[in-house]
Amino acid sequence: MSDPTVRGIWLAITALAAVIVGTAAGILGWAGGLNAPTAVLTGGGAFAGTTLLVLTALRFTAGAGA
């Protein structure tokens, strides 16, 4: 996991997954009756949460400890 190329690929995969989750959350929030700004905030929160979760899981599985 220390190779910069591999780290870049994982970061790109993480960002793509987070964009998909964030978009889905925003659309579902809007379809569920939220106004547009609140739906965007919901999508942004889902994006941030997904990014943090995946990067933390990658760090854990790579054996990088505290």
Side-chain angles (χ1 to χ4, degrees):
M1 223 18 205
S2 63
D3 183 19
T5 304
V6 173
R7 291 178 82 172
I9 291 171
W10 276 113
L11 185 60
I13 291 169
T14 299
L16 180 61
V19 164
I20 292 169
V21 170
T23 301
I27 290 172
L28 287 173
W30 182 65
L34 296 177
N35 57 13
T38 307
V40 169
L41 288 174
T42 301
F47 174 86
T50 301
T51 301
L52 290 173
L53 178 66
V54 172
L55 290 178
T56 301
L58 286 172
R59 182 178 170 95
F60 176 76
T61 57

